[in-house]
């Protein structure tokens, strides 16, 4: 069991990945971060996001993603896009792709001995049956809200799975 009162306990490191790192993956990072905070598990996790492509390196999240997230009390305003690096496969315990195309890109980049870290986000969903989070980039406000619906469902399932997998317990209230 991870002792969260022990400052030397190693956090579970989770990286969310989409194509450009301006819509889906920063939104997933924000949703997951909020769920972790609400569960009093902030000390147990390190959370980040990245893209498989270099299109948007250094850019903030898409304003529509930021707006839709803010409407749900999720702040992704400090986000700056980055690309997945080779070292991410060593650094992160779990690398969570938003769709099959990005999962395949990650599989090509990832060393064989670390392939077990790669997961598809919607495999953790309980209320939705889609196997991918559609990219809302060319859509409208409704597409960004739907993306968040999917991510909130899947991130809840992911958190439950990680808590069980890593035998985590919430921090004691002080």
């Amino acid at each position: 069991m991870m002792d969260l009162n022990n400052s030397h306990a190693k956090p579970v490191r989770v990286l969310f990945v989409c194509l450009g790192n301006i819509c889906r993956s920063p939104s997933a990072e924000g949703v997951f971060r909020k769920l972790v905070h609400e569960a009093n598990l902030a000390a147990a996790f390190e959370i980040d996001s990245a893209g498989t492509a270099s299109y948007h390196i250094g850019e903030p999240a898409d304003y529509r993603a930021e707006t839709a997230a803010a409407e749900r009390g999720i702040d992704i305003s400090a986000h700056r896009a980055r690309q997945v690096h080779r070292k991410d496969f060593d650094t992160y315990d779990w690398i969570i792709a938003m769709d099959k195309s990005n999962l395949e890109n990650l599989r090509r980049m990832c060393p064989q001995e670390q392939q077990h870290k790669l997961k598809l986000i919607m495999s953790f969903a309980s209320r939705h049956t889609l196997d991918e989070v559609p990219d809302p980039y060319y859509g409208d406000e409704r597409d960004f809200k739907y993306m968040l619906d999917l991510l909130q469902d899947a991130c809840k399932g992911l958190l439950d799975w990680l808590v069980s997998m890593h035998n985590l317990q919430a921090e004691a209230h002080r």
Side-chain angles (χ1 to χ4, degrees):
M1 178 180 317
M2 182 174 180
D3 178 6
L4 299 180
N5 295 319
N6 177 351
S7 61
H8 302 316
K10 182 180 177 245
V12 177
R13 293 180 173 103
V14 181
L15 181 67
F16 294 97
V17 178
C18 68
L19 185 63
N21 192 219
I22 60 167
C23 295
R24 294 173 292 172
S25 58
S27 296
E29 176 188 352
V31 166
F32 191 73
R33 192 177 301 281
K34 183 177 183 200
L35 290 169
V36 162
H37 177 74
E38 289 171 349
N40 293 313
L41 289 166
F45 287 95
E46 284 183 18
I47 308 160
D48 198 5
S49 63
T52 57
S54 62
Y55 311 135
H56 300 287
I57 292 174
E59 293 180 19
D62 184 290
Y63 74 93
R64 298 165 297 173
E66 189 175 330
T67 300
E71 288 173 358
R72 297 183 190 206
I74 301 164
D75 182 7
I76 61 171
S77 63
H79 174 77
R80 293 298 173 265
R82 74 172 186 87
Q83 190 173 15
V84 174
H85 298 285
R86 167 59 186 90
K87 66 181 179 182
D88 289 329
F89 299 105
D90 295 325
T91 301
Y92 291 93
D93 302 303
W94 303 104
I95 301 173
I96 313 297
M98 299 296 111
D99 60 38
K100 292 176 184 175
S101 174
N102 284 293
L103 182 62
E104 285 306 313
N105 290 338
L106 289 166
R107 283 187 177 139
R108 284 192 290 277
M109 299 168 65
C110 185
Q112 187 61 41
E113 67 275 8
Q114 295 174 330
Q115 292 278 324
H116 68 279
K117 297 179 176 187
L118 306 178
K119 304 289 181 193
L120 197 56
I121 186 72
M122 289 306 293
S123 67
F124 297 99
S126 63
R127 296 187 328 268
H128 295 89
T129 58
L130 289 180
D131 53 2
E132 300 181 308
V133 178
D135 190 344
Y137 186 77
Y138 294 105
D140 61 22
E141 163 183 317
R142 288 174 306 209
D143 296 300
F144 283 84
K145 289 179 179 183
Y146 181 59
M147 169 194 70
L148 283 171
D149 291 342
L150 295 173
L151 291 174
Q152 287 181 301
D153 179 19
C155 284
K156 171 72 170 89
L158 173 62
L159 179 58
D160 291 346
W161 182 76
L162 290 172
V163 164
S164 175
M165 172 73 74
H166 294 273
N167 202 18
L168 302 175
Q169 290 188 341
E171 299 171 29
H173 293 282
R174 296 178 188 169

